[in-house]
């Protein structure tokens, strides 16, 4: 069976983003919070954020709480912050695949891609 993983790199510091809150939402007919996690010192969520019988085809959203992470690091942000919660919507089409959704983060921009 497949699985969903993620990690976050803070490109403004050149380090993994440790302690960043992430939510995983199912975007079915009624959006549903599936899981809340936090990144470890390597910027990764321990294990898969979604796997096993819970890993189903559909549309999902990862919400990365970048503003809270950056403020906790002492980064001075405008109020409101340019980037606060970063939503990444994506689809899972094949439950036998590994879907990896990384985030490259800075206070004024971000990037993502389907990793391996």
């Amino acid at each position: 069976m497949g699985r969903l993983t993620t990690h976050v790199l803070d490109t403004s510091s050149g380090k993994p983003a440790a302690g960043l809150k992430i939510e995983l939402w199912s975007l079915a007919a009624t959006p549903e919070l599936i899981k809340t996690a936090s990144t470890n010192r390597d910027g990764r969520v321990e294990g898969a954020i979604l796997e096993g019988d819970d890993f189903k085809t559909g549309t999902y959203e990862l919400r990365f709480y970048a503003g809270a992470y950056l403020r906790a690091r002492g980064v001075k942000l405008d109020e409101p912050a340019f980037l606060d919660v970063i939503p990444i919507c994506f689809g899972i089409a094949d439950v036998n695949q590994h879907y990896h959704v990384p985030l490259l983060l800075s206070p004024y921009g971000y990037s993502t891609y389907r990793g391996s």
Side-chain angles (χ1 to χ4, degrees):
M1 294 211 72
R3 67 188 192 279
L4 172 66
T5 58
T6 188
H7 77 275
V8 184
L9 297 176
D10 180 344
T11 59
S12 66
S13 69
K15 297 179 182 177
L20 190 144
K21 177 183 169 184
I22 301 169
E23 292 178 346
L24 174 65
W25 288 78
S26 168
L27 298 182
T30 303
E32 176 186 358
L33 177 62
I34 297 173
K35 186 173 185 176
T36 301
S38 185
T39 55
N40 63 19
R41 57 188 260 174
D42 291 325
R44 299 182 179 278
V45 171
E46 296 288 340
I49 197 165
L50 189 64
E51 64 185 336
D53 292 338
D54 295 326
F55 191 74
K56 300 174 183 167
T57 61
T59 305
Y60 295 86
E61 180 176 275
L62 284 167
R63 295 180 186 172
F64 297 86
Y65 285 76
Y69 159 78
L70 291 165
R71 287 182 192 94
R73 274 197 45 241
V75 176
K76 294 194 185 238
L77 301 175
D78 294 334
E79 291 301 333
F82 181 69
L83 296 174
D84 191 15
V85 178
I86 299 172
I88 299 176
C89 298
F90 60 96
I92 293 175
D94 184 348
V95 297
N96 296 308
Q97 294 287 313
H98 176 198
Y99 287 76
H100 184 68
V101 182
L103 179 71
L104 305 177
L105 164 70
S106 79
Y108 296 99
Y110 68 92
S111 177
T112 190
Y113 54 94
R114 178 166 176 197
S116 57

